[in-house]
Amino acid sequence: MLPLQDTYRHQGQRRALARELRRRGIHDERVLQAIATVPRHLFFAPAFEAHAYQDKAFPIGEGQTISQPYTVAYQTQLLNLKPTDRVLEVGTGSGYQCAVLLQLTPHVDSIEFNEVLFTRTRQLLASLGAGGAGLYCGDGSVGLPDRAPFDAILVTAGAPGLPPALLRQLRVGGRLVIPVGGSQTQRMVRVTREGAEAFVREEFEDFRFVPLLGVGGWRS
């Protein structure tokens, strides 16, 4: 479906993108290296490849987008991942964020609500050699209780509030990074579980995401 080619030109574009993200405040060198490594253009249809290394979101069909690189790097940096961390990504989408996470830890599960995207992205990640993630189709707002607990949970869609099921699936010391707010803009939130019923909430910048669908989000 896609030409699996990664040229010197693409690699140079990624290095330039990583430099731009550093200038914008991304300071985690492992995250920047992941951005410089993952071939984002392979997550685009060939006709739109020219947009791949611009710092912007882009439609991928089914009413969804591939997040802009700054947003991907920003959320990933907030997770503060270690190589041994077990991560749940809610909203596989194009698979790009999943591929970035796999550069930081091999222990990634990802769940996608939309069946069309799930089927397409599963095939793409396998073709890119990034099939090590556990990929699931279902309601990500309720997480993956059979796979919990997680050291980190990353939600790539805007939620009206904090989904209780995701909080319960955090290990003590685990972090949930999720955009929370209305339909226009959301505030990036990080919640750290400090005990069985103890959670610390931090708020960061405003972003704009597609809605999180499901019983713990905006109902479909």
Side-chain angles (χ1 to χ4, degrees), residues 85-97:
D85 281 346
R86 297 186 63 246
V87 182
L88 171 63
E89 178 193 28
V90 175
T92 315
S94 70
Y96 175 66
Q97 172 74 79

Side-chain angles (χ1 to χ4, degrees), residues 75 78-79 81 86-90 101 109 111 140 142-144 148-156 163-171 174-178 189-191:
Q75 285 196 288
L78 286 179
L79 288 177
L81 292 177
R86 297 186 63 246
V87 182
L88 171 63
E89 178 193 28
V90 175
L101 293 172
D109 289 318
I111 183 167
V142 300
L144 289 173
F150 297 99
D151 299 291
I153 299 176
L154 175 63
V155 181
T156 65
L166 299 184
L167 294 174
R168 290 194 297 269
Q169 290 172 40
L170 283 175
R171 190 186 305 277
R175 293 83 61 202
L176 166 66
V177 172
I178 180 172
V189 174
R190 179 171 62 191
V191 179

Side-chain angles (χ1 to χ4, degrees), residues 17 21 24 35 40 54-58 65-74 96-97 207-209:
L17 176 60
L21 296 181
R24 291 194 61 185
I35 294 292
R40 191 172 185 254
Q54 298 173 14
D55 189 22
K56 66 179 184 180
F58 199 81
T65 61
I66 181 172
S67 293
Q68 74 179 97
Y70 176 74
T71 303
V72 170
Y74 190 98
Y96 175 66
Q97 172 74 79
F207 290 84
R208 185 170 184 175
F209 283 80

Side-chain angles (χ1 to χ4, degrees), residues 97-169:
Q97 172 74 79
C98 184
V100 169
L101 293 172
L102 284 167
Q103 293 292 316
L104 303 175
T105 172
H107 312 293
V108 178
D109 289 318
S110 186
I111 183 167
E112 171 57 46
F113 188 87
N114 184 284
E115 291 185 16
V116 174
L117 281 182
F118 168 75
T119 300
R120 187 171 75 199
T121 298
R122 179 175 57 179
Q123 294 171 346
L124 174 59
L125 287 174
S127 71
L128 296 177
L135 302 178
Y136 302 84
C137 186
D139 183 353
S141 72
V142 300
L144 289 173
D146 292 343
R147 299 283 293 163
F150 297 99
D151 299 291
I153 299 176
L154 175 63
V155 181
T156 65
L162 298 175
L166 299 184
L167 294 174
R168 290 194 297 269
Q169 290 172 40

